[in-house]
Amino acid sequence: MKERKLLMIPGPIEFAPEVMQAMGTAPTSHVAPNFIEVFGQALERMREVFLCPSGQPFIMAGSGTLAMDIAASNLIELGDKALVVNTGHFSDRCVDVLERYGAVVTQVNAPAVGGAPTLEEVEAALKENNYKVMTITHVDTSTAVGADVKGFARLGRENGALVIVDGVCAVASEEMRMEEWGIDVSLTASQKGIGVPPGLALVMASPKAMDAFKNRKTPVGSYYADWTEWLPIMEGYESRQPRYFGTPAVNLVWALNISLGQILEEGMDNRFARHCRYSEAFKAAITALGMKQVPVSSDNEATTLTAPYYPNGVDSGVLKYVEEAGVILAGGLHPAINTKYFRVGHMGVVSTSDILATVGAIEKGLSQVGYKFEPGAGLAAAQASLRDGKGV
Ligand SMILES: *Cc1c(COP(=O)(O)O)cnc(C)c1O
C-alpha cells in the first residue's frame, strides 16, 4: 500500500515530481553559468505567470510573510496613509506589517467572518482620504473568502492609491491579471499556487510602484528586504550577469523555474479554468454532504481552497479519520471560529482523482464519527459537477 498521504491543505501543496527532483539535485554555485540562466529565466517566467509584462520581479529567500514585509518596507514611509480591505486573518497581518513601517492604517471591515466589504464601502473610504496604498487579500486563507480584486483594484487606481495584492494563496491559480487590472504590487510565496516547497518570497512590482520606491525620502527600514540592494541583483541575473547581496536559495530557484515552466505550459487561462472546475466540484460535494461553508455568499468563495463548517455533532476529531483514510486536511485558523470549521486546499498539480479521493476520505471520516448522510452523496455530486464541466 502507498505510504504517502495526499496533502490537501492550503500550502504547502502537492508538488510535481520534476519540482522535487530539482530540490534533490546537488546545488551549483550561485554564480555558475547554468544557475545564472535558470535564475534569469525564472524572473522572465514570473512576468508571464503574473500577467504583468512591464513588472519588476523579485525572488528572495523567505516565506509569504517576508513578501508582505518587502512590499510594506519598500513602499511605506512614516505617516503614509494606507487602506486595508479586510477579509480575515491575513488582512489583519497586513495591518500589522504596514503599521510596523509607520503607516497610518484605516480598515474597511467585512460585516462578519466569511464576508467581504462591498465595492461601495471601499469607494466611500477611498474618497475620504488621500491614501498612498491600498491592500487587498486576494484569498484570505483563514476564511476561504476570495476578494473581488478586479473591482477593488479599479477603485484604488481611480483614487490614486498604489494597489497591493496579497496573493499568497492565489497567484498562479486564482484568476489575477496584474497589468490589465492595474495592480501595483502582487506578492506570493513558493508553497501555495506556485507549487514549489516553502522558502521563496515572490514579489512583482509595477513601474508605478518602482517609481514610488525610487522617490522615497527616507531609507528603507529593513536591511534584508531593501530593494536598493535587491534591484541590481534581479536586473543583473536577468541580463545573465550574476551579482551578490545575499546567497539565493539555489535549489528552490531551480525548482521554481521548473514549476513556472509547467504552469506556462498549461497556460494561464486553462489553469484558472481548471481551478474553477475543481473548486465547483469539491464545493458541490460539501453541500451534498450537508455542510455549510465559511464564505457567506457564493460570490466571494475562493477557488483555491474550501472552508466547510463541521456538520452538527461533528468536531475536529473527524480530521484524524480523514487522515487515516489517506488525506491530510487543515483545521480552522480564524480565531473567532477556529474550532468550528476545517480547510481543504485544491490548488496546483491536483487532479480530478485527487478531488474524488479527498471527498471519499471525508465521507469515510464522517461515517466513522457517526454522522448520518447518504453514503456516496458527496462523490456523486463531485462527479456530476466534473461531468457537466469540461473535465480534465
Ligand atoms: C499563507 C499566507 C500568508 C503567509 O505566508 P507564509 O509563507 O506562511 O509566511 C500570507 N497571506 C496569505 C493570504 C496566505 O495565504
Side-chain angles (χ1 to χ4, degrees):
M1 201 180 107
K2 198 172 96 175
E3 278 288 316
R4 220 169 103 36
K5 295 183 192 296
L6 194 56
L7 186 60
M8 297 293 282
I9 67 172
I13 63 169
E14 290 280 325
F15 305 120
E18 298 78 10
V19 168
M20 294 314 294
Q21 238 162 27
M23 291 301 296
T25 309
T28 58
S29 156
H30 58 289
V31 294
N34 57 350
F35 179 70
I36 297 166
E37 179 56 31
V38 162
F39 202 140
Q41 203 170 56
L43 290 162
E44 289 161 1
R45 287 177 173 173
M46 255 180 82
R47 278 197 198 86
E48 292 181 60
V49 167
F50 282 66
L51 297 167
C52 193
S54 70
Q56 175 58 54
F58 292 89
I59 300 172
M60 289 157 63
S63 80
T65 306
L66 176 72
M68 298 169 81
D69 211 53
I70 291 168
S73 62
N74 283 284
L75 293 174
I76 295 295
E77 291 185 80
L78 192 63
D80 282 344
K81 295 191 183 75
L83 186 73
V84 171
V85 179
N86 195 320
T87 47
H89 174 72
F90 285 103
S91 309
D92 293 342
R93 180 173 292 189
C94 229
V95 173
D96 291 345
V97 177
L98 291 164
E99 285 180 342
R100 183 63 63 91
Y101 293 103
V104 180
V105 177
T106 304
Q107 298 182 58
V108 191
N109 289 300
V113 174
T118 63
L119 290 172
E120 292 72 26
E121 287 164 341
V122 170
E123 183 165 31
L126 281 164
K127 297 244 181 277
E128 254 169 47
N129 237 318
N130 236 340
Y131 292 103
K132 178 173 180 185
V133 306
M134 166 193 183
T135 72
I136 308 158
T137 309
H138 195 159
V139 169
D140 192 280
T141 319
S142 73
T143 53
V145 167
D148 177 3
V149 169
K150 188 181 182 183
F152 291 134
R154 177 174 50 77
L155 294 173
R157 192 170 69 245
E158 284 170 3
N159 288 279
L162 288 169
V163 177
I164 300 175
V165 176
D166 172 352
V168 179
C169 200
V171 170
S173 302
E174 196 88 32
E175 183 180 11
M176 201 259 301
R177 301 175 188 280
M178 187 173 166
E179 192 151 318
E180 191 185 316
W181 294 359
I183 296 161
D184 293 297
V185 175
S186 175
L187 58 91
T188 190
S190 46
Q191 78 274 20
K192 299 195 188 172
I194 293 279
V196 175
L200 291 177
L202 307 174
V203 180
M204 184 70 70
S206 74
K208 207 166 105 195
M210 292 314 294
D211 284 346
F213 159 70
K214 285 170 185 161
N215 293 329
R216 289 178 65 97
K217 295 184 181 63
T218 54
V220 172
S222 160
Y223 182 77
Y224 181 73
D226 192 347
W227 281 342
T228 317
E229 304 290 355
W230 288 107
L231 181 59
I233 308 300
M234 300 304 144
E235 289 174 340
Y237 274 99
E238 203 168 347
S239 60
R240 309 305 194 255
Q241 302 289 322
R243 298 209 178 106
Y244 171 75
F245 175 58
T247 308
V250 172
N251 286 52
L252 281 164
V253 174
W254 213 288
L256 172 70
N257 190 41
I258 287 177
S259 195
L260 293 175
Q262 291 178 343
I263 290 167
L264 291 170
E265 210 168 294
E266 179 174 14
M268 298 317 293
D269 288 339
N270 290 341
R271 199 166 164 93
F272 298 150
R274 179 169 61 82
H275 281 82
C276 285
R277 226 155 41 233
Y278 289 180
S279 174
E280 270 171 31
F282 188 76
K283 286 171 172 65
I286 290 300
T287 304
L289 292 171
M291 287 182 266
K292 296 207 170 347
Q293 294 171 47
V294 176
V296 293
S297 133
S298 58
D299 296 342
N300 68 0
E301 287 169 355
T303 67
T304 50
L305 81 155
T306 301
Y309 282 109
Y310 297 114
N312 272 343
V314 176
D315 63 19
S316 63
V318 70
L319 296 183
K320 184 180 75 189
Y321 296 103
V322 177
E323 179 162 348
E324 279 173 14
V327 180
I328 300 169
L329 305 180
L333 181 65
H334 195 291
I337 53 167
N338 61 8
T339 58
K340 299 194 171 116
Y341 75 109
F342 62 105
R343 297 174 301 142
V344 184
H346 33 71
M347 63 191 116
V349 292
V350 283
S351 63
T352 47
S353 37
D354 295 338
I355 297 288
L356 295 173
T358 305
V359 174
I362 291 172
E363 288 201 11
K364 185 133 189 250
L366 286 173
S367 65
Q368 273 174 289
V369 296
Y371 175 64
K372 294 276 173 280
F373 64 100
E374 188 195 321
L379 283 165
Q383 279 181 313
S385 169
L386 290 166
R387 198 168 49 234
D388 297 344
K390 271 179 265 156
V392 166

